[in-house]
Amino acid sequence: MARKTLSAPEPITESLGATLPEVIREEADHNKSMALQVADAEARFHDGEEYNEERLTMVANGVASRVALEFAVGGAALIRIKARFGHGNGFTTFIQTRCNFSMDTAQKMMLVAHALLLPNNQPRPLLTTVAAQGRGSIGKALALASLSREELDKLDAGEMVNGMTIGSIEVMSLKDMREEIAARDIENGKLRADKLKLVEGRMPKDGSEPAVVLGRLAAEV
């Protein structure tokens, strides 16, 4: 009886569509990317306390609906947490299961933190100015977050940007601020005037009506 020749088993990496060195390299690149993301978040938004997810979650939950300064600090806490999730839906699941606000609010909090907090969570003068106006200050902070870093730096220094100064922002209505910023975006080609529409007396619906409110104008996106 002839002896049956056994073929060598197929390398497991071939069935995965990648060689072992490629898998190792991809894992190393992922770990390096995560480490850089965490380092960046910690360098900019560290609040003097060691990282503790429970504490930062309490910070974010406790300030999401208060004035702009606290809104931004909550956003900084979320940025530090998000940095440890990397890509995928992990952070979304965290917001849904651990936080008392929506993902939309979380994104706005982080946007304000990125724009209006300096290293070590120090507020820009602009943020201090609008935060003094109480609960309505969050709308102004979100409007300011649409400006470039260069524009924010100029406003902090007392210069005029788009017809606004830090002094005029203090007394302007939110509607007027949004319209000034909209005019700037139209002039710079970021918005087209024929893409503006009226939103009568209400905010656009989340998700089902994608729009950015600009006073009574909304620019479709």
Side-chain angles (χ1 to χ4, degrees), residues 67-121:
V67 299
L69 180 56
E70 294 168 314
F71 196 78
V73 170
L78 291 177
I79 290 169
R80 293 179 68 188
I81 294 171
K82 186 176 185 293
R84 286 163 168 77
F85 280 94
H87 301 295
N89 297 322
F91 184 65
T92 300
T93 301
F94 168 83
I95 295 295
Q96 292 171 341
T97 58
R98 301 285 302 282
C99 296
N100 56 19
F101 46 83
S102 67
M103 189 64 193
D104 180 63
T105 297
Q107 290 170 338
K108 290 175 180 176
M109 292 167 70
M110 292 187 289
L111 178 66
V112 170
H114 272 299
L116 300 180
L117 286 182
L118 300 172
N120 300 317
N121 287 357

Side-chain angles (χ1 to χ4, degrees), residues 107-176:
Q107 290 170 338
K108 290 175 180 176
M109 292 167 70
M110 292 187 289
L111 178 66
V112 170
H114 272 299
L116 300 180
L117 286 182
L118 300 172
N120 300 317
N121 287 357
Q122 293 300 306
R124 284 180 175 272
L126 274 171
L127 179 56
T128 303
T129 297
V130 299
Q133 299 175 11
R135 291 178 64 89
S137 62
I138 292 176
K140 284 192 173 183
L142 285 167
L144 289 170
S146 70
L147 301 179
S148 69
R149 181 168 297 181
E150 181 182 4
E151 289 171 323
L152 293 170
D153 287 343
K154 287 181 178 179
L155 285 169
D156 278 340
E159 298 179 37
M160 180 175 289
V161 174
N162 305 322
M164 301 184 298
T165 65
I166 193 169
S168 67
I169 286 171
E170 186 173 9
V171 297
M172 289 174 77
S173 69
L174 177 57
K175 172 181 179 294
D176 289 341

